[in-house]
């Protein structure tokens, strides 16, 4: 499908300037695309010559309309003209019908069926859709037959500058170190334009700075923001608001633009040294301040923040070494002066310290701004405090003899007021340490004296506390411990260590030692105890006893009377002595000296056992009883195995007869009486192999008449032995007849008792005993032979 156009004839068809302009625009585009879309030459065109005289000839060509251009955002009142389709088959008689199909056909684009003119019915936006693909064909209006094949063409929406640049963020945040050099990069901003970047400058964006000069600048092409001014100080100004503009059309007049705000903050660097606010600090401290307490606080100021403001304090010189120390409070960056030694107003009233503060983190780049340290002086004035009296000693030790009379001065204490006013001191005793009021102290001079006699044997040491109080200020007081030692004197006589009582045989030999006694004395002489033993004067003239001094604490004496008075004396001054009685009991003895007879009191004392012996005996008895009870319990729990498990098994009965003693009852394997009466109680069973506790009178049995046979001698012998055993309850087993009278239920042997067989009158066959073995064969012969003799 092609068409030939006369430009002037086409233009004459349109009265609207807008339509003419669009048509001309499209026609120019088509001419520009001529080399791409050429067809067969139709006729010759105009001719002429060039500058060299060469004749030129222009050919008349047919053009294929395969591309149209349409401006976006059309605002005219008429429909926007797109282009015209024309077929060579169109003679102008109205027989040709133009048909349009494809994207937007019939809605966005409409075609005149007769003329082939295409119009846009709506405003188009390139940003929504940049081009449309359509198909056109020419058909016979009457027959509807295609005159030419279907052709495809594109309608491109030509971009206009209808979109302003837009930044990716409405607000940008950035930080840059203070004191940065010129040209230091801060942040890069970016703006985009929705217009066609391939056509014209509608999408070409240029950046510029509207606010923030002269501190910052922006690259017009990249949008990179940089510092433009050196030495920007955070301590002077920290935050900056920068407005950046992005404008399309390469920044030319008439271009659209957009703006954004960049908030820029200066980050801190350590460019400021610490500085004390004063060169001299003065603190007043009471002398009673406790060790480790804070004396004062100093602080240096640093314009920096964070770690750049961290500082360290130290003492570089002082007139009181070791008295004070300074520590750094990291959270508040303060220097705290601490007391390390006690203060004394009376010794030193003022101290001077030289302190230094220095940054912890120093940036070498800013050394030229230093030094990053500072110094100051601290003056500490010690204030006087009304202090309690102070004793000359931390404690006192005093000694006094136990025989010292009342009001004897045993020592003194001394205390003074350390303050300048030197107040008088009054002394007293803390009665909580002297409840018995044994001591007292002079209120003025501190002399300590006793109020009553002392006894070393009762209390060897006394611990009291003496209080010193200021006379003008009773609230100021102090105390000191006083230890009083009571010295011993020889004021106690020695006595026997215990009450002595001994026994002696009446035939005791002379010079025989019968008792050694010892003495005790509550006194404690420096050289140790030395006792002397002797008889009292009233007993010294009697010759039947004497006392021998062993040169120590014990003595021995020989006895001839019941009570011996013994005098015990010590070797101290003044000498102390006492008379003690030794009790001696005389007993009758044999030649070997073994005591045979004493008075009742002596025997009782002699036979008496000590408490420890009685306890030992009781423990032994309890242990033995426990062992017996345990053994009996184990015997009860032991299971008894029956001798005969089965009634039909007679072999166990045979084994039991091997015993030549008391028979089956002697083994305690089973009880025949129980077999006869299963309901019998086992506890009531009596032993059959021992003599019963109750005397059983002999049972007399009638003598059986002699039988008329040849076995009379045997029968008489058995009857005699049976009667003897029945009459003697001590002969084990005394109830042999009862034992052998019953051999159990179901026994094929029935009874084997020869005693019972004598009373049986019927004939019996004993030949079956021969089958039991050689031992029973003899028995079968004996009883079997008797039957044969009887029959004969």
């Amino acid at each position: 499908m092609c068409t030939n156009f006369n430009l002037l004839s086409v233009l004459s068809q349109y009265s609207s300037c807008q339509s003419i302009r669009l048509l001309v625009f499209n026609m120019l585009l088509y001419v520009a695309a001529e080399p791409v879309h050429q067809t067969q030459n139709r006729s010759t065109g105009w001719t002429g010559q060039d500058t060299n005289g060469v004749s030129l000839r222009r050919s008349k060509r047919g053009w294929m309309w395969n591309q149209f251009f349409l401006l976006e955002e059309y605002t005219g009142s008429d429909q926007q003209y797109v282009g015209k389709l024309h077929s060579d088959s169109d003679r102008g008689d109205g027989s040709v019908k133009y048909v349009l199909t494809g994207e937007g056909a019939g809605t966005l684009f409409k075609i005149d069926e007769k003329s082939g003119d295409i119009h846009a019915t709506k405003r188009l936006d390139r940003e929504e859709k940049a081009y449309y693909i359509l198909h056109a064909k020419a058909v016979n209006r009457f027959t509807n037959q295609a005159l030419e094949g279907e052709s495809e063409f594109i309608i491109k929406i030509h971009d206009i500058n209808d979109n302003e640049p837009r930044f990716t963020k409405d607000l940008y945040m950035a930080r840059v170190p203070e004191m940065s050099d010129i040209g230091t990069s801060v942040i890069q901003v970016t703006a985009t334009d929705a217009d066609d970047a391939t056509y014209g400058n509608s999408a070409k964006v240029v950046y510029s700075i509207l606010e923030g000069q002269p501190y910052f600048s922006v690259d017009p092409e990249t949008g990179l923001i940089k510092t433009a001014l050196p030495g920007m100080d955070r301590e002077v100004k920290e935050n900056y608001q920068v407005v950046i503009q992005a404008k399309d059309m390469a920044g030319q007049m008439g271009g659209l633009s957009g703006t954004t705000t960049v908030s820029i903050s200066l980050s801190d660097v350590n460019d400021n040294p610490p500085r004390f606010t004063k060169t001299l600090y003065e603190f007043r401290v009471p002398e009673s301040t406790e060790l480790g307490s804070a004396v004062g606080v100093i602080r240096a100021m640093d314009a920096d923040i964070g770690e750049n403001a961290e500082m360290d304090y130290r003492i570089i010189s002082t007139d009181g070494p070791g008295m004070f120390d300074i520590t750094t409070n990291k959270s508040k960056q303060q220097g705290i002066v601490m007391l390390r030694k006690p203060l004394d107003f009376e010794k030193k009233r003022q101290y001077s310290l030289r302190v230094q503060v220095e940054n912890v983190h120093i940036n070498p780049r800013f050394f030229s701004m230093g030094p990053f340290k500072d110094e100051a002086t601290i003056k500490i004035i010690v204030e006087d405090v009304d202090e309690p009296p102070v004793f000359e000693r931390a404690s006192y030790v005093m000694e006094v003899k136990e025989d010292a009379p009342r009001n004897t001065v045993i020592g003194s204490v001394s205390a003074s007021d350390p303050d300048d006013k030197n107040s008088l001191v009054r002394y007293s005793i803390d009665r909580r340490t002297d409840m018995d009021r044994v001591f007292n102290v002079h209120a003025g001079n501190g002399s300590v004296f006793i109020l009553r006699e002392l006894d070393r044997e009762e209390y060897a040491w006394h611990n009291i506390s003496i209080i010193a109080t200021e006379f003008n200020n009773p609230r100021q007081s102090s105390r000191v411990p006083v230890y009083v030692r009571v010295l011993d004197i020889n004021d106690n006589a020695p006595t026997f260590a215990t009450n002595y009582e001994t026994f002696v045989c009446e035939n005791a030999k002379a010079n025989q030692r019968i008792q050694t006694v010892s003495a005790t004395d509550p006194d404690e002489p420096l050289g140790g105890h030395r006792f002397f033993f002797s008889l009292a004067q009233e007993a010294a003239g009697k010759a039947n006893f004497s006392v021998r001094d062993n040169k120590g604490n014990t003595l021995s004496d020989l006895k001839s009377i019941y009570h011996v008075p013994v005098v015990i004396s010590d070797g101290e001054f003044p000498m102390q002595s006492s008379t003690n009685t030794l009790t001696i009991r005389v007993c009758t003895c044999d030649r070997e000296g073994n005591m045979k007879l004493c008075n009742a009191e002596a025997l009782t004392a002699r036979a008496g056992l000590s408490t420890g012996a009685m306890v030992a005996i009781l423990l032994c008895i309890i242990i033995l009883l426990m062992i017996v009870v345990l053994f009996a319990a184990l015997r009860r729990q032991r299971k008894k195995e029956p001798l005969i498990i089965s009634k039909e098994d007679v072999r166990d009965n045979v084994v039991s007869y091997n015993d030549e003693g008391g028979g089956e009852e002697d083994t305690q394997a089973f009880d025949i009486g129980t077999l006869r009466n299963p309901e019998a109680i086992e506890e009531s069973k009596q032993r059959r192999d021992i003599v019963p506790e109750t005397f059983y009178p002999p049972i007399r049995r009638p003598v059986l008449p002699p039988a008329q046979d040849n076995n009379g001698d045997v029968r008489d012998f058995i009857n005699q032995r049976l009667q003897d055993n029945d009459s003697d309850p001590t002969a084990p087993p005394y109830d042999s007849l009862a034992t052998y009278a019953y051999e159990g239920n179901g026994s094929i042997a029935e009874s084997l008792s020869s005693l019972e067989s004598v009373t049986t009158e019927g004939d019996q066959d004993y030949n079956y005993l021969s089958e039991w073995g050689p031992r029973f064969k003899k028995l079968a012969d004996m009883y079997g032979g008797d039957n044969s003799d009887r029959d004969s």
Side-chain angles (χ1 to χ4, degrees):
M1 183 182 301
C2 58
T3 182
N4 291 322
F5 280 99
N6 186 325
L7 183 58
L8 294 177
S9 63
V10 173
L11 293 177
S12 64
Q13 299 178 10
Y14 301 94
S15 59
S16 173
C17 295
Q18 178 69 17
S19 300
I20 294 175
R21 184 170 67 252
L22 293 175
L23 179 60
V24 172
F25 176 75
N26 276 322
M27 293 300 293
L28 293 175
L29 291 177
Y30 300 152
V31 173
E34 178 182 354
V36 182
H37 310 293
Q38 73 175 18
T39 59
Q40 182 180 0
N41 290 337
R42 297 282 184 176
S43 60
T44 60
W46 52 270
T47 61
Q49 293 180 348
D50 60 6
T51 57
N52 295 326
V54 180
S55 60
L56 299 174
R57 184 178 181 181
R58 187 182 190 281
S59 300
K60 184 179 181 181
R61 301 179 180 179
W63 299 92
M64 179 174 291
W65 290 36
N66 66 343
Q67 184 168 319
F68 294 96
F69 292 88
L70 186 65
L71 291 175
E72 66 173 337
E73 303 296 341
Y74 173 70
T75 59
S77 59
D78 299 333
Q79 293 183 349
Q80 187 178 9
Y81 181 74
V82 179
K84 183 180 182 63
L85 298 180
H86 184 72
S87 175
D88 292 341
S89 302
D90 189 358
R91 305 299 181 183
D93 56 1
S95 61
V96 177
K97 177 183 178 181
Y98 296 96
V99 179
L100 185 64
T101 60
E103 296 177 344
T107 56
L108 296 178
F109 304 101
K110 288 185 178 181
I111 188 171
D112 190 331
E113 295 179 353
K114 293 181 180 182
S115 63
D117 294 328
I118 304 174
H119 291 83
T121 61
K122 297 181 180 179
R123 290 177 58 182
L124 301 177
D125 189 358
R126 189 199 66 83
E127 285 72 35
E128 293 182 1
K129 191 170 180 62
Y131 61 91
Y132 297 86
I133 301 175
L134 295 96
H135 300 84
K137 64 181 177 178
V139 298
N140 189 294
R141 183 180 297 277
F142 305 105
T143 63
N144 206 28
Q145 292 184 353
L147 299 180
E148 292 184 10
E150 184 178 82
S151 298
E152 180 181 281
F153 64 94
I154 299 174
I155 299 177
K156 289 188 174 182
I157 308 304
H158 181 66
D159 181 49
I160 64 173
N161 190 16
D162 61 341
N163 291 281
E164 72 278 1
R166 294 183 180 274
F167 285 94
T168 56
K169 295 181 180 179
D170 295 333
L171 178 64
Y172 290 85
M173 305 292 295
R175 294 179 65 85
V176 63
E178 63 174 334
M179 310 300 291
S180 297
D181 297 331
I182 296 176
T184 303
S185 299
V186 180
I187 192 174
Q188 185 177 14
V189 296
T190 303
T192 58
D193 196 319
D195 293 329
D196 189 1
T198 62
Y199 177 75
N201 293 325
S202 298
K204 187 174 182 181
V205 179
V206 175
Y207 300 95
S208 62
I209 184 169
L210 300 182
E211 296 180 11
Q213 295 175 334
Y215 305 105
F216 300 96
S217 63
V218 63
D219 190 292
E221 294 184 358
T222 61
L224 179 61
I225 301 175
K226 302 179 181 179
T227 58
L229 189 67
M232 287 190 294
D233 194 352
R234 185 198 65 84
E235 289 74 32
V236 177
K237 185 176 181 179
E238 182 177 0
N239 298 313
Y240 296 85
Q241 297 292 329
V242 180
V243 178
I244 303 296
Q245 174 185 266
K247 188 175 183 181
D248 58 10
M249 298 299 292
Q252 298 176 5
M253 186 178 297
L256 302 177
S257 64
T259 60
T260 188
T261 302
V262 182
S263 179
I264 301 176
S265 300
L266 299 182
S267 59
D268 184 60
V269 297
N270 191 8
D271 58 340
N272 295 281
R275 291 290 181 262
F276 282 111
T277 57
K278 297 187 295 185
T279 58
L280 177 63
Y281 294 86
E282 183 174 312
F283 301 108
R284 293 183 175 271
V285 184
E287 63 175 334
S288 60
T289 302
E290 296 182 359
L291 299 182
S293 301
V295 174
V297 178
I298 60 175
R299 182 175 181 180
M301 304 303 297
D302 193 328
D304 297 323
I305 59 175
E307 66 175 12
N308 296 320
E310 292 182 2
M311 56 192 75
D312 186 31
Y313 298 86
R314 65 176 181 270
I315 299 176
I316 56 178
S317 64
T318 178
D319 58 355
M323 291 293 299
F324 302 94
D325 192 10
I326 188 168
T327 60
T328 303
N329 187 337
K330 297 298 183 181
S331 61
K332 298 181 179 180
Q333 299 303 320
Q334 297 175 338
I336 303 176
V337 182
M338 310 292 293
L339 179 64
R340 296 304 181 193
K341 292 182 179 181
L343 299 174
D344 192 347
F345 174 82
E346 288 71 30
K347 293 183 178 180
K348 189 174 180 59
R349 304 185 179 185
Q350 181 176 310
Y351 295 89
S352 178
L353 291 78
R354 188 68 177 171
V355 295
Q356 183 184 81
V357 62
E358 184 177 9
N359 276 136
V360 177
H361 307 283
I362 301 177
N363 192 337
R365 178 185 171 193
F366 303 103
F367 275 161
S368 59
M369 298 182 180
F372 286 82
K373 57 185 177 181
D374 195 13
E375 295 181 0
T377 301
I378 299 177
K379 183 179 180 182
I380 300 177
I381 300 175
V382 181
E383 296 180 341
D384 187 23
V385 176
D386 191 5
E387 299 176 282
V390 177
F391 284 93
E392 293 180 354
R393 302 179 187 176
S395 63
Y396 292 84
V397 178
M398 302 178 183
E399 294 182 348
V400 59
K401 289 186 177 182
E402 60 179 332
D403 61 344
R406 296 182 181 180
N407 298 323
T408 300
V409 176
I410 62 176
S412 64
V413 297
S414 178
S416 61
D417 185 9
D419 300 326
D420 289 342
K421 56 185 179 181
N422 195 14
S423 176
L424 296 179
V425 177
R426 181 169 55 88
Y427 302 95
S428 63
I429 290 182
D430 186 358
R431 289 305 174 185
R432 292 175 298 180
T433 62
D434 186 22
M435 302 294 292
D436 297 332
R437 294 184 174 270
V438 179
F439 303 93
N440 202 355
V441 61
H442 192 279
N445 57 21
S447 298
V448 182
F449 54 92
I450 60 176
L451 296 177
R452 62 182 181 86
E453 291 81 1
L454 303 177
D455 188 358
R456 190 203 63 83
E457 288 73 32
E458 182 180 2
Y459 296 106
W461 285 88
H462 296 268
N463 301 331
I464 61 175
S465 295
I466 296 180
I467 302 174
T469 306
E470 289 187 11
F471 188 81
N472 297 327
N473 187 4
R475 292 179 299 179
Q476 296 294 338
S477 63
S478 59
R479 64 182 58 225
V480 66
V482 178
Y483 307 101
V484 180
R485 179 186 179 186
V486 181
L487 300 178
D488 182 45
I489 63 171
N490 192 22
D491 59 342
N492 292 282
T495 59
F496 277 157
T498 184
N499 294 327
Y500 291 100
E501 182 176 0
T502 185
F503 302 91
V504 63
C505 296
E506 59 183 355
N507 56 352
K509 297 179 180 180
N511 296 326
Q512 179 181 349
R513 186 180 65 178
I514 61 175
Q515 180 65 44
T516 301
V517 297
S518 61
T520 181
D521 193 337
D523 295 328
E524 293 183 359
L526 296 178
H529 288 294
R530 177 70 173 86
F531 299 127
F532 300 92
F533 300 90
S534 62
L535 290 177
Q537 294 181 359
E538 61 271 17
K542 299 180 179 180
N544 54 356
F545 65 89
S546 64
V547 175
R548 180 181 301 172
D549 192 350
N550 290 333
K551 306 298 181 180
N553 295 337
T554 62
L555 61 88
S556 301
D557 60 62
L558 299 178
K559 182 64 188 123
S560 61
I561 62 175
Y562 286 98
H563 300 285
V564 179
V566 179
V567 177
I568 306 174
S569 60
D570 55 19
E572 302 298 325
F573 181 83
M575 179 179 293
Q576 300 290 338
S577 63
S578 65
T579 301
N580 301 264
T581 302
L582 173 64
T583 301
I584 301 177
R585 301 185 182 277
V586 180
C587 301
T588 302
C589 303
D590 56 12
R591 294 182 179 181
E592 286 77 15
N594 298 322
M595 189 177 300
K596 296 177 60 178
L597 180 62
C598 284
N599 55 55
E601 185 178 357
L603 289 176
T604 303
R606 189 75 172 208
L609 295 177
S610 64
T611 303
M614 293 296 295
V615 172
I617 293 173
L618 289 176
L619 289 177
C620 293
I621 294 174
I622 292 173
I623 294 173
L624 291 175
L625 289 176
M626 292 176 63
I627 294 174
V628 172
V629 171
L630 180 61
F631 181 75
L634 294 177
R635 286 288 301 270
R636 283 182 173 273
Q637 293 180 359
R638 184 180 302 172
K639 295 182 180 181
K640 299 180 180 180
E641 297 181 358
L643 183 61
I644 301 178
I645 300 177
S646 175
K647 295 181 178 181
E648 303 299 332
D649 190 1
V650 299
R651 290 173 294 177
D652 289 342
N653 294 335
V654 174
V655 173
S656 64
Y657 283 105
N658 292 334
D659 189 5
E660 297 298 333
E664 293 173 322
E665 295 299 327
D666 195 28
T667 63
Q668 287 294 310
F670 61 90
D671 187 6
I672 294 299
T674 303
L675 295 177
R676 294 175 178 175
N677 183 16
E679 307 300 331
I681 301 175
E682 185 177 1
E683 284 76 10
S684 62
K685 182 176 66 176
Q686 297 181 350
R687 294 286 301 270
R688 298 175 180 250
D689 55 346
I690 62 175
V691 179
E693 297 180 358
T694 305
F695 178 76
Y696 293 92
I699 301 175
R700 302 189 61 84
R701 300 179 181 271
V703 180
L704 297 178
Q708 300 299 324
D709 52 24
N710 294 330
N711 295 328
D713 53 350
V714 176
R715 183 169 55 253
D716 294 339
F717 175 78
I718 293 176
N719 290 334
Q720 183 63 34
R721 289 291 183 265
L722 178 60
Q723 183 176 0
D724 295 341
N725 282 276
D726 288 341
S727 301
D728 186 9
T730 62
Y734 66 93
D735 56 350
S736 298
L737 179 61
T739 301
Y740 292 99
Y742 183 72
E743 298 299 329
N745 296 328
S747 175
I748 60 175
E750 295 181 353
S751 176
L752 300 181
S753 176
S754 61
L755 301 179
E756 186 178 2
S757 61
V758 177
T759 61
T760 58
E761 305 230 347
D763 296 337
Q764 297 184 14
D765 185 8
Y766 297 100
N767 294 328
Y768 65 89
L769 296 177
S770 300
E771 301 176 359
W772 287 15
R775 295 183 180 182
F776 292 93
K777 189 175 185 313
K778 182 63 174 175
L779 185 61
D781 293 340
M782 291 176 59
Y783 286 89
D786 183 63
N787 291 338
S788 60
D789 295 340
R790 187 183 301 173
D791 295 339
S792 59

